[in-house]
Amino acid sequence: MRSVNALRSSKVYSLSLRHFSTLTISKSKKSAPSPPPTLPITADTLRDSITSSQWQFIKHISGELKPTLISNALPNLRSSPDRVLTFIENISPNCLDITCYSLAISILSRLPSPKQATHLLKRVISARVATHKEFFDGLVSAREKLEIKSSIVLDLLVRAYCELKKGEEALKCFYLMKQKGILPKIETCNDLLSLFNKLNMTHLSWIVYAEMFRMKISSTVCTFNIIINVLCKEGKLKKAKEFIENMQCLGVKPNLISYNTVIHGYCSKGDVEGANKFFETMTVKGIEPDSYTFNSLISGMVKEGREKEMSSLLEKMKSFGLTPTAVTYNTLIDSCCNKGDFEKAFFYRDEMVKIGVVPSVTTYNLLIHALFLDGRMAETDDLVKEMAEKRVLHDGITYNILINGYCRAGNAKKAFKFYDEMLSRGLQPTIVTYTSLIKVLGKRNRMKEADDLVVEILRKGIFPDLIMFNALIDGHCASGNVVRAFDILKEMNKMNIQPDEVTYNCLMQGYCKESKVEEACALLEEMKGRGIKPDHISYNTLISGYSKRGDMDDAFKVRDAMLSAGFNPTLLTYNALIQGLCKKQEGVLAEELLKEMVSKGITPDDSTYLALIEGIGDVDSFLGRKDPS
């Protein structure tokens, strides 16, 4: 009984023993004792439980807590803000409404670091507990209830929206602050300016900047640097330079970032001369360049194809006591890879190692990507092994490059090995990578796996695009399942994804593979009806379909339609027609086509000769070749 009495006397005790078992003695006729009466949970008892860190108990009673009770208890925790977030994390979200969250965040905003308040703000925003207006109003009410004069919690709200890249909501909250007569902090304004600049919504940056003037919010060097960046992004380099000059008139001294931004702007625009002139202006004013300055100049020179000047620029960099960084070398390596100069690319890689600059994952990504494109698989494999040996972890870009590369090379096994490894590390493939996997499965006639992969993609909330749908349709048509291909076309229509000429070409090829050339012709007309212009592949598909079937009159009609549409016959066109004629033993016509083909500068290939052997007796004699013996 002592233990029960002790519990009953406790301030935090609130639960009755609802479920308990009574030990009955068969001979005893006494009834079981009544359960002790429950003590209600009050704001005070809840506060005491929180301040004494009774988290297990709080978790236990979480289901009984109501938003009203919590919102009454939270103001009592103003002196213990460090316990608030732990409390929120130990109870069910169902216990909380926007009032509770607003009070909790307002209390957390009083901590020296905004980290906890921002964390909870972002959590509430992401959970869509309330609209931006409801959230703002909730925080305003919480400020009043807690008698907080600082605007910090509202500033943090705007900044949280900025961090989540929710520009529209951030701007609306900024205006709500203005309507309430609450002056946003300059850091809040800078976050807004920076966000809109990053989102390429520079017109909104100017709107915020104008509002800052109206509200008499003083700009800092950070503000000016963002605006300089906006001007450079808009290509207004002359105004950006003028802006730097005006900064000094306003009592704000430009810093290295100010100058670097303009130099980068010139280089991005391809005006290295302008960048160099501004570089000289910077040094005259006593501002020392850094690695970023030179990396911008090197990048600009690469774009202009001025690689010969790299050595002198690198020497100039060293004269300022600066060592080329991984970014510097990556720029040079990227330039070499784009030109196919692998020898020079690896020279720079070796040089960076020699001077003690560790190749980054970006370095490897650039080299691996270029080697894949050049079909140098053995060297690619060596680099992948080297990364493992040097413990350079693959990032998302590496995996996407590897998966795409091995898919392109037709190595499904390796592609899926890296795909599984990527997922195990919590990295997500891009839609391009998924499309590559579908394509390689299609080449292997593994369309069941391709369909399963699409289901997996959809579960992840990734929606197929036109290119992925085309890969699926192509795979099913190639494997002889045209019915499934048309089902996918229906799905495309449901998702409002318009097919293109590639879609129809795949379907036409599927029909032609089944000798259903008339159906393929109907698709050509359907294409035109939908405003999709057939290309040379469309016509070649039909020509090939008719030729394989031996319907040469129809094949030549399509050839004529192709010419009328403005497409010249290709090697595929001639091969299809020659093969069709030779199968029908119409060697004379095949000879005429061969002459026409050669006269138009189209070189016959093995397929041409194999067909001719069937229809023409002596190909060498026909071509006028002499026996070398």
Side-chain angles (χ1 to χ4, degrees):
M1 288 298 291
R2 283 181 186 174
S3 61
V4 173
N5 287 334
L7 280 170
R8 289 176 67 183
S9 62
S10 170
K11 288 183 180 179
V12 297
Y13 178 70
S14 64
L15 295 177
S16 62
L17 301 174
R18 293 194 186 97
H19 305 291
F20 62 95
S21 60
T22 56
L23 183 63
T24 58
I25 301 171
S26 57
K27 292 182 181 179
S28 174
K29 293 183 180 179
K30 288 183 179 180
S31 60
S34 300
T38 61
L39 292 177
I41 306 168
T42 65
D44 288 338
T45 56
L46 183 58
R47 177 203 61 202
D48 291 345
S49 300
I50 296 167
T51 53
S52 56
S53 301
Q54 296 186 39
W55 306 124
Q56 283 300 115
F57 173 72
I58 288 167
K59 277 184 184 178
H60 190 60
I61 64 170
S62 175
E64 297 189 11
L65 298 177
K66 303 295 180 191
T68 307
L69 175 65
I70 294 169
S71 59
N72 286 333
L74 283 169
N76 298 326
L77 295 169
R78 277 174 289 190
S79 58
S80 305
D82 54 317
R83 304 293 173 91
V84 172
L85 186 59
T86 311
F87 166 62
I88 296 295
E89 288 176 343
N90 273 284
I91 60 174
S92 168
N94 296 330
C95 303
L96 301 162
D97 60 11
I98 196 61
T99 303
C100 300
Y101 280 120
S102 297
L103 285 164
I105 291 163
S106 297
I107 294 167
L108 289 170
S109 71
R110 301 178 71 176
L111 288 166
S113 168
K115 192 174 179 181
Q116 289 193 33
T118 304
H119 169 77
L120 191 52
L121 278 163
K122 287 160 75 173
R123 182 172 134 188
V124 175
I125 291 167
S126 299
R128 298 180 181 178
V129 173
T131 65
H132 74 277
K133 178 71 166 59
E134 290 166 343
F135 205 175
F136 183 89
D137 290 342
L139 291 171
V140 169
S141 298
R143 280 176 76 238
E144 291 170 359
K145 189 170 185 177
L146 297 167
E147 298 178 345
I148 298 173
K149 292 181 181 179
S150 169
S151 68
I152 184 65
V153 71
L154 299 176
D155 282 294
L156 291 177
L157 175 66
V158 177
R159 297 178 76 176
Y161 276 121
C162 287
E163 284 185 31
L164 293 169
K165 293 183 172 58
K166 294 181 179 289
E168 185 181 347
E169 292 88 342
L171 186 58
K172 284 179 179 177
C173 288
F174 174 82
Y175 275 115
L176 287 171
M177 287 181 77
K178 183 186 175 185
Q179 287 170 19
K180 288 279 182 184
I182 301 167
L183 206 65
K185 294 187 182 301
I186 184 59
E187 291 81 8
T188 306
C189 300
N190 288 345
D191 279 2
L192 272 169
L193 292 170
S194 182
L195 174 66
F196 291 131
N197 186 37
K198 286 174 184 174
L199 294 175
N200 293 318
M201 299 167 74
T202 55
H203 63 289
L204 291 178
S205 293
W206 289 115
I207 288 171
V208 173
Y209 192 55
E211 289 293 349
M212 287 171 64
F213 267 102
R214 292 189 192 102
M215 296 164 78
K216 297 182 180 178
I217 299 171
S218 298
S219 298
T220 63
V221 67
C222 180
T223 316
F224 286 119
N225 286 343
I226 296 167
I227 295 300
I228 290 166
N229 204 326
V230 169
L231 287 166
C232 290
K233 188 169 273 190
E234 292 177 341
K236 299 170 183 175
L237 295 169
K238 187 178 178 182
K239 284 191 176 181
K241 285 167 64 179
E242 290 170 359
F243 205 83
I244 286 179
E245 292 167 10
N246 291 335
M247 282 173 70
Q248 293 173 321
C249 299
L250 294 167
V252 180
K253 188 178 179 181
N255 59 14
L256 178 58
I257 295 171
S258 315
Y259 286 96
N260 274 349
T261 303
V262 176
I263 288 170
H264 180 75
Y266 272 114
C267 292
S268 297
K269 203 177 177 182
D271 185 359
V272 178
E273 289 307 314
N276 279 325
K277 285 177 184 175
F278 202 66
F279 175 85
E280 296 304 326
T281 303
M282 179 180 86
T283 52
V284 166
K285 289 184 180 286
I287 295 174
E288 292 275 314
D290 64 359
S291 296
Y292 184 89
T293 319
F294 282 100
N295 289 342
S296 295
L297 290 168
I298 288 168
S299 178
M301 285 191 171
V302 164
K303 284 179 182 175
E304 289 191 7
R306 294 164 62 175
E307 282 83 0
K308 291 179 181 178
E309 298 173 51
M310 290 300 173
S311 298
S312 60
L313 191 57
L314 287 171
E315 288 304 315
K316 192 174 184 179
M317 186 178 186
K318 290 171 187 175
S319 72
F320 280 95
L322 299 168
T323 304
T325 63
V327 175
T328 315
Y329 281 108
N330 287 343
T331 303
L332 296 169
I333 289 167
D334 187 33
S335 169
C336 296
C337 287
N338 288 334
K339 292 181 177 178
D341 190 349
F342 292 101
E343 187 179 341
K344 191 75 172 174
F346 279 98
F347 165 79
Y348 281 125
R349 195 279 305 266
D350 295 339
E351 186 179 283
M352 70 190 288
V353 172
K354 196 182 292 181
I355 67 168
V357 179
V358 179
S360 64
V361 66
T362 304
T363 315
Y364 285 102
N365 288 346
L366 291 168
L367 291 166
I368 290 170
H369 180 61
L371 290 169
F372 263 131
L373 291 177
D374 207 48
R376 297 164 73 158
M377 304 306 296
E379 290 167 87
T380 301
D381 291 338
D382 289 342
L383 274 182
V384 173
K385 287 176 187 173
E386 186 181 307
M387 285 182 80
E389 288 165 4
K390 296 193 174 181
R391 296 183 180 180
V392 179
L393 279 177
H394 299 165
D395 61 7
I397 296 170
T398 319
Y399 281 113
N400 285 320
I401 290 169
L402 290 169
I403 294 165
N404 288 323
Y406 283 118
C407 283
R408 199 177 289 114
N411 193 333
K413 187 177 179 181
K414 274 195 174 179
F416 275 94
K417 171 187 171 289
F418 284 112
Y419 171 70
D420 293 336
E421 189 180 305
M422 185 180 193
L423 294 182
S424 70
R425 287 191 51 205
L427 299 169
Q428 287 304 315
T430 64
I431 195 163
V432 174
T433 303
Y434 278 120
T435 302
S436 293
L437 290 167
I438 288 165
K439 283 181 180 177
V440 80
L441 289 171
K443 287 176 184 175
R444 296 286 180 278
N445 199 21
R446 292 160 60 181
M447 290 311 296
K448 171 67 171 63
E449 291 171 70
D451 285 339
D452 291 343
L453 187 59
V454 174
V455 172
E456 185 183 320
I457 293 164
L458 289 168
R459 280 186 189 140
K460 291 179 180 179
I462 300 169
F463 292 97
D465 60 5
L466 174 62
I467 299 168
M468 184 181 286
F469 274 123
N470 284 345
L472 281 166
I473 288 171
D474 184 42
H476 282 295
C477 286
S479 62
N481 194 348
V482 180
V483 173
R484 174 68 183 133
F486 274 97
D487 287 340
I488 293 167
L489 181 64
K490 288 175 186 174
E491 289 300 317
M492 286 175 66
N493 291 329
K494 284 179 187 175
M495 293 173 68
N496 290 321
I497 295 175
Q498 295 301 313
D500 63 359
E501 69 279 5
V502 177
T503 319
Y504 278 100
N505 288 344
C506 293
L507 292 166
M508 287 163 66
Q509 286 163 7
Y511 268 144
C512 288
K513 195 173 181 181
E514 295 179 356
S515 294
K516 296 178 179 178
V517 191
E518 286 74 21
E519 286 87 340
C521 284
L523 281 177
L524 187 79
E525 295 308 313
E526 186 181 314
M527 277 176 79
K528 294 175 183 176
R530 294 185 73 163
I532 302 167
K533 190 178 178 182
D535 59 10
H536 66 280
I537 296 172
S538 314
Y539 291 106
N540 280 340
T541 299
L542 294 176
I543 291 167
S544 179
Y546 278 125
S547 296
K548 283 177 183 175
R549 221 168 61 173
D551 297 334
M552 297 312 297
D553 288 342
D554 289 324
F556 277 102
K557 283 178 185 176
V558 176
R559 193 276 309 267
D560 294 340
M562 181 180 182
L563 290 167
S564 299
F567 294 105
N568 290 321
T570 64
L571 175 64
L572 291 173
T573 316
Y574 283 109
N575 278 353
L577 291 168
I578 289 169
Q579 285 165 11
L581 290 169
C582 288
K583 278 182 182 178
K584 293 194 77 177
Q585 299 298 311
E586 295 187 33
V588 176
L589 283 175
E591 288 177 16
E592 290 298 321
L593 271 182
L594 183 62
K595 286 178 183 177
E596 181 185 309
M597 179 182 179
V598 173
S599 70
K600 290 189 175 182
I602 299 172
T603 306
D605 65 1
D606 291 344
S607 297
T608 321
Y609 291 125
L610 286 170
L612 286 167
I613 288 166
E614 188 178 334
I616 303 171
D618 187 355
V619 179
D620 284 334
S621 173
F622 170 74
L623 292 173
R625 293 174 180 166
K626 293 181 180 179
D627 191 334
S629 61

